[in-house]
Amino acid sequence: KAVDDNLASFKEKTDDGVYKMQGSAVSIDNKTGRVVAIVGGRSQETEGYSLNRAYQSFRQPGSSIKPLVIYTPALEEGYDANSTLTEIDVKAAKKSTSEKISKMSGKKMSLRYAVEDSKNGCAYSLYNIITPKVGLSYIENMNFSKIVQQDYTLSSGLGGLHHGTNTVEMANAYSTLENHGEYRQA
């Protein structure tokens, strides 16, 4: 119902009658590790269409990846909610070297505020410090199945994964955070 309701205004369909705007959702009981609900797409009257986007479709995770590959590793490296981060210009940083990125200036803010406001410049700057190698190791340890060599760039910290991820992997990862770092496959 939540997926259908949130996408109700998007009515355009393909020639096969499938809604063009889709979504998926997974809910995990963090105490038991069991899947409570899984939605693979919008409800519709199309026969024979069995794609379950929750685990069969891989998409870019966008900013939802930041807590997994940037902020959790940073907290384990000694950062805290009050640590000061710099909101750098990401466009300029993408044209720079790692050394130059670490010297870029910008507005200063707390890690807590950067997370709450999803500040890309802060995330990019911090990811440059902790490195994609360290950050991606966290989601590799949570069985993200399509991490490849091309993902080992700073863009992965903002959700730019080569193959992407799916809703089940993301739900498992957030469940891992809720369970103090203890991963279990839902």
Side-chain angles (χ1 to χ4, degrees):
K1 187 174 180 343
V3 170
D4 286 343
D5 289 352
N6 280 290
L7 298 176
S9 64
F10 300 96
K11 301 189 185 304
E12 191 176 355
K13 294 183 179 182
T14 66
D15 293 338
D16 297 336
V18 178
Y19 286 112
K20 285 188 174 182
M21 179 63 76
Q22 285 289 344
S24 65
V26 175
S27 177
I28 296 174
D29 180 329
N30 291 320
K31 290 181 181 166
T32 66
R34 294 183 179 267
V35 174
V36 175
I38 187 166
V39 178
R42 294 172 69 178
S43 299
Q44 51 194 81
E45 301 293 324
T46 306
E47 285 187 37
Y49 192 74
S50 61
L51 176 66
N52 187 320
R53 287 167 189 81
Y55 65 91
Q56 292 176 312
S57 290
F58 288 76
R59 299 282 185 257
Q60 301 306 315
S63 290
S64 65
I65 202 77
K66 291 176 193 173
L68 304 174
V69 300
I70 300 174
Y71 294 117
T72 296
L75 291 170
E76 290 198 341
E77 296 268 334
Y79 287 79
D80 63 35
N82 296 314
S83 293
T84 302
L85 302 180
T86 305
E87 175 71 350
I88 64 171
D89 179 346
V90 175
K91 193 173 183 179
K94 285 182 177 182
K95 298 174 186 173
S96 296
T97 64
S98 179
E99 188 175 288
K100 288 181 182 177
I101 292 170
S102 64
K103 295 177 182 173
M104 293 179 93
S105 62
K107 184 178 177 184
K108 304 289 186 194
M109 62 191 68
S110 71
L111 185 145
R112 177 184 303 278
Y113 182 79
V115 172
E116 287 173 356
D117 241 29
S118 192
K119 296 293 190 181
N120 284 344
C122 290
Y124 203 85
S125 175
L126 183 55
Y127 202 39
N128 183 59
I129 295 166
I130 65 167
T131 76
K133 180 179 180 182
V134 170
L136 291 175
S137 73
Y138 278 69
I139 60 173
E140 286 181 320
N141 288 335
M142 292 185 264
N143 290 337
F144 276 57
S145 61
K146 298 208 181 243
I147 302 302
V148 294
Q149 191 60 42
Q150 295 95 317
D151 291 325
Y152 285 84
T153 67
L154 293 175
S155 294
S156 66
L158 303 182
L161 298 175
H162 189 72
H163 294 292
T165 185
N166 63 40
T167 316
V168 171
E169 289 178 346
M170 291 299 290
N172 277 329
Y174 274 91
S175 184
T176 300
L177 294 184
E178 174 62 25
N179 285 295
H180 307 288
E182 185 180 323
Y183 174 83
R184 63 180 161 209
Q185 182 70 40

